Amino acid sequence: MRKTVTTKNNSGIDIEFPNKCPRCHTGILPTELFAFDYKDSKNARIAYVVFRCPVCEKLFSTEYLISERGDSLVTLRNYPTMHVAEDFSEEIKKLSPKFCQIYNEANFAENENLNEIAGMGYRKALEFLIKDFATRNNPDKKSAIEKSWIVQCIKDYIDDKRIQNLAEKAVWLCNDEAHFLREYGDIDTVSKIKVFIKAIVNFIESCLAVEEAEKIEKRK
Ligand SMILES: [Zn+2]
């Protein structure tokens, strides 16, 4: 919803109100308490608006880029930043708790616009997921899997061709994030890596469900 508020320096600004509280993650229509605008060193007009959430009663602020006419052009960010942890299934949490932890740390970095670090974080998360899944299926090869290079590990110990293909391509894109020169600069690598990791998670869950089903024998 757009609404005009008056800043402490007495200018009217027309801004898009946040529709979600970054503190309790509830959809809301917040109350504005205080607004302030100023020109930064590059002569861009910036406004800060402090809101109160009607659900959790906590305060948060939103930063806007304002046009010369007083309209908000872009919502730059919320303080605090909204972090919603990815809640993986019980099967994935049990298979690879480290993957879940590192994935969420990478996701936190991404939400804080630390994209260089996020890409490398997703790479590390992917390695744990693949190696834990490989070890689960080949318990006698645990030590070899731990030491193996991830691409080799995918080739040698991941049987499902769909997971193999997704993991291999995800590693290519992840490596781009870690290297000085980019090979895949035309691709939004971090977003694509996340799509591939989520697909791998889905296929692993399917494999586990199939195994579970196969174990059930007909009674009577
Ligand atoms: Zn709230």
Side-chain angles (χ1 to χ4, degrees):
M1 190 190 79
R2 290 190 82 87
K3 209 171 150 184
T4 302
V5 300
T6 307
T7 66
K8 289 293 160 194
N9 2 12
N10 273 328
S11 45
I13 51 169
D14 181 56
I15 53 164
E16 182 71 36
F17 269 42
N19 57 13
K20 212 168 184 190
C21 168
R23 310 290 293 262
C24 69
H25 307 145
T26 312
I28 49 155
L29 179 59
T31 316
E32 92 273 7
L33 298 179
F34 175 87
F36 174 79
D37 69 324
Y38 74 102
K39 287 227 169 132
D40 73 3
S41 56
K42 290 177 187 147
N43 215 26
R45 195 169 161 204
I46 306 290
Y48 285 96
V49 182
V50 175
F51 294 99
R52 187 177 71 225
C53 166
V55 177
C56 67
E57 301 283 343
K58 288 180 179 159
L59 305 187
F60 63 92
S61 73
T62 305
E63 183 183 343
Y64 298 93
L65 177 64
I66 306 289
S67 73
E68 281 306 319
R69 290 200 336 234
D71 306 317
S72 71
L73 299 171
V74 186
T75 300
L76 297 171
R77 59 182 298 179
N78 285 309
Y79 299 92
T81 312
M82 185 139 28
H83 290 293
V84 185
E86 184 79 37
D87 193 18
F88 293 99
S89 67
E90 289 307 317
E91 288 76 15
I92 296 296
K93 281 185 204 160
K94 191 172 158 226
L95 173 76
S96 186
K98 278 293 240 183
F99 159 73
C100 300
Q101 181 198 341
I102 300 164
Y103 183 97
N104 273 316
E105 286 183 16
N107 197 230
F108 185 97
E110 189 189 349
N111 287 340
E112 290 287 341
N113 292 322
L114 304 172
N115 287 323
E116 300 287 334
I117 292 178
M120 285 189 276
Y122 288 125
R123 161 80 163 75
K124 190 172 175 187
L126 175 69
E127 180 152 357
F128 270 89
L129 179 65
I130 292 297
K131 289 191 170 176
D132 284 339
F133 184 55
T135 303
R136 179 196 175 276
N137 295 342
N138 306 273
D140 53 322
K141 298 283 189 313
K142 187 173 190 287
S143 160
I145 289 169
E146 279 170 359
K147 284 184 216 136
S148 68
W149 184 44
I150 185 164
V151 173
Q152 202 56 44
C153 174
I154 294 165
K155 280 200 183 97
D156 294 346
Y157 301 107
I158 300 293
D159 301 329
D160 188 302
K161 292 282 169 224
R162 297 163 305 179
I163 299 178
Q164 215 181 56
N165 188 30
L166 283 162
E168 194 187 5
K169 304 293 162 61
V171 170
W172 292 358
L173 298 184
C174 285
N175 286 345
D176 224 33
E177 289 292 320
H179 291 157
F180 194 81
L181 288 175
R182 283 180 168 269
E183 298 281 343
Y184 304 99
D186 55 324
I187 299 175
D188 180 359
T189 43
V190 170
S191 313
K192 212 40 102 188
I193 290 163
K194 280 168 68 183
V195 170
F196 290 177
I197 289 179
K198 288 201 173 155
I200 293 168
V201 165
N202 289 338
F203 281 129
I204 290 178
E205 283 169 338
S206 303
C207 291
L208 299 178
V210 169
E211 275 182 34
E212 190 82 25
E214 282 168 351
K215 275 191 232 154
I216 299 175
E217 287 177 7
K218 196 161 191 296
R219 291 182 189 168
K220 194 156 172 280

